[in-house]
Amino acid sequence: MSHFNDFNNAQVAKLPKHLKQFIVDQNYEKYTPIDQAVWRYVMRQNYSYLKNVAYYPYIKGLQRAGLSIEHIPDLQTMNDNLGKIGWGAVTVDGFIPPAAFMEYQAYRVLVIAADIRQINHIEYTPAPDIIHESAGHAPIIADTDYNNYLSYFGSIGAKAMFSAKDFELYEAIRKLSILKEAVDANDSEIAKSEKELRYINENMGEPSEMALLGRLHWWTVEYGLIGTLENPKIYGAGLLSSIGESASCMQRHVEKIWYNMDTINYAYDITKPQPQLFVTETFQNLIDVLETFANTMAFRVGGAESVMKAIDCKNVATAVYSSGLQVSGIFTDIGLNADDEVTFIKTTGVSALAFAGKQLENHGKDYHKDGFSSPVGRLKSSLKPLENSSDEEMELAGLYLGNKTNLTFESGITVAGKVNNILKRAEKIILITFEECTVTEGNGNVLFKPEWGIYDMAVGDKIVSVFNGAADKDAFEEITLVSLEKTQQIVYDDKTLKLHQFYKTVREIRESGDHLAKLPDIFDQLRTNHRQDWLCALEILELVYHKKIYHQLERDVLIYLELKAAREADHRKLINDGLHVIKNPVSQLVVE
């Protein structure tokens, strides 16, 4: 990616190739004057309401993250500001895969959707947008305990095992969110897509590690409350960026429950307001709960159950031998002894070997293109793991270059062949390569034949860890440049372009304090030709109300908006909330 822009931000510069592929340009000039007005409306609403219910650093945090109430943030300003607290930000196109999202967090980079919600979805949008990501997540990043939680969550989430169903669900959610924000989507397409999503959702089966972590993320990062059950404050970005739900969530009918390990049993529905919310006393408690859950995950537990999760996942995963050797590929088979200990693992299709997250030379997926299989466990009657053998002990076992030897494992698997190479890393033997090799199971079943070529035998007593994705992602993953096409390019007709011009002029009048005499004419045009619009009239009212001039215009606009609110159910709350903020202004720079 030759034109990669790291915004002079240390965290963004550190991103590996496989994460950079999701980044798109923000294209700041594509935001229309209406988009800017939508940002300002939501931020004024948030500010007016949240100053009482948000966790204390919200308003200060906005400024520390380089956000203003007046303008959609530009990425360079955000990075200049976030850089001071060890974070960065990039823009992406809509939903990205959950594992990638987690990894960005681990790298301390906020992922921001470049798009902004349309005015007809101003209160809430199911699609990620710049209001949610920047006005929701960014302001709290300045809190050290919180940002430690976020990056730690990312590092654990990136290792979480998926089920094949999770991938289906991700695709269905992405498809629906793009459809819902598309200008020309028809209702039957949306209905069909919603039905598909519901079906997948209802047939997920046993939740995977990623699904359970997804719940912890949802009830903390997105919908979390902090403080006491009686008087909690909001820190979840989903609430902070939804002017509808941030108000309704504080009401009695939404149950408040202490956040602990039990929260993992509560599934969530992305399309409905939350029936209950979870309160943590401190951000440290979030880290403690996460730690307790991480101790049950395959990347810390290893063993047969973890390899089974990898087989279930049907996607690339990595199994780690106790020697440190990492095997990446799609796992398809496992051998078990009577005590359910792993005796054998097998991948199918392109696979690779790595150590400490770096691919071993000549063991990439070109070389292991047809899969990899190897025994796991001890040699029969040996007193210690093979990986810990000294050079003398290796000689005694007949394991030296050029020697024909015959190894028998406790599991009954035998490996007979000529030693071609012995690979050591960090004082441990991790891989022995054989020529003219035959590998046989105890029951006589042949696992490898000499005519298949060179046999690489992994060395290790146990499988100590299994995690999602490849060990060396940059070496393993196809870096398919995600298309730079945006989810949707909107072409505006002349009428809409005229409306954009009115918004632009009103903003210029507000910012310069000049040319107020243009307002009556703009209002006239709105009333005649743009009857569906309500926000521009609201901005005109705000100007004349505070200037205390043009009393007739003020009365006309107010009556126009009050009638509109009475007649148009869709706009009622939006107009009334807008009027409330005009009549009860909050000084923009009050820092609580």
Side-chain angles (χ1 to χ4, degrees), residues 17-167:
K17 286 205 294 277
H18 68 275
L19 289 182
K20 284 179 185 168
Q21 64 177 330
F22 295 105
I23 298 172
V24 297
D25 291 331
Q26 185 182 20
N27 291 333
Y28 195 87
E29 56 292 338
K30 79 169 191 285
Y31 300 122
T32 67
I34 295 183
D35 292 337
Q36 294 284 1
V38 164
W39 170 272
R40 182 174 182 268
Y41 174 89
V42 173
M43 293 305 288
R44 279 163 60 84
Q45 289 296 330
N46 273 356
Y47 184 65
S48 159
Y49 175 68
L50 290 172
K51 65 184 197 314
N52 304 318
V53 294
Y55 181 58
Y56 76 91
Y58 182 76
I59 304 300
K60 257 201 307 240
L62 278 180
Q63 291 159 338
R64 286 186 69 179
L67 300 175
S68 86
I69 287 178
E70 290 297 314
H71 298 274
I72 295 173
D74 83 275
L75 230 54
Q76 187 59 60
T77 310
M78 284 191 76
N79 274 297
D80 293 345
N81 284 278
L82 289 170
K84 294 174 192 158
I85 47 179
W87 279 71
V90 295
T91 38
V92 299
D93 184 12
F95 277 109
I96 62 170
F101 182 82
M102 293 291 178
E103 236 186 310
Y104 274 107
Q105 266 179 224
Y107 278 94
R108 295 182 166 254
V109 173
L110 272 187
V111 184
I112 295 176
D115 291 328
I116 185 163
R117 63 195 65 179
Q118 296 174 46
I119 190 164
N120 53 342
H121 298 159
I122 194 165
E123 286 194 89
Y124 170 78
T125 168
D129 84 329
I130 192 159
I131 295 181
H132 172 88
E133 311 294 343
S134 55
H137 293 287
I140 314 183
I141 290 283
D143 185 292
T144 311
D145 286 344
Y146 179 75
N147 73 48
N148 284 339
Y149 171 64
L150 214 52
S151 59
Y152 189 49
F153 200 109
S155 61
I156 285 172
K159 294 188 171 78
M161 294 302 296
F162 281 84
S163 69
K165 289 269 187 214
D166 293 330
F167 286 96

Side-chain angles (χ1 to χ4, degrees), residues 166-222:
D166 293 330
F167 286 96
E168 275 182 52
L169 187 66
Y170 159 70
E171 288 299 343
I173 288 174
R174 179 174 164 90
K175 182 178 157 192
L176 178 63
S177 76
I178 289 172
L179 265 179
K180 278 197 164 173
E181 284 292 307
V183 180
D184 51 5
N186 64 49
D187 290 346
S188 65
E189 261 185 277
I190 290 179
K192 183 172 165 245
S193 184
E194 279 179 334
K195 197 172 152 192
E196 281 165 14
L197 177 56
R198 247 196 322 276
Y199 179 78
I200 296 171
N201 229 337
E202 284 160 11
N203 295 279
M204 289 294 285
E206 203 44 38
S208 66
E209 289 180 359
M210 191 42 128
L212 293 172
L213 266 179
R215 291 176 186 179
L216 294 186
H217 200 261
W218 183 262
W219 297 123
T220 60
V221 174
E222 293 298 348

Side-chain angles (χ1 to χ4, degrees), residues 301-329:
V301 174
E305 192 189 337
S306 300
V307 179
M308 296 301 284
K309 284 180 182 176
I311 293 173
D312 235 13
C313 158
K314 300 185 175 54
N315 279 273
V316 175
T318 297
V320 187
Y321 278 80
S322 44
S323 63
L325 180 74
Q326 297 167 316
V327 180
S328 300

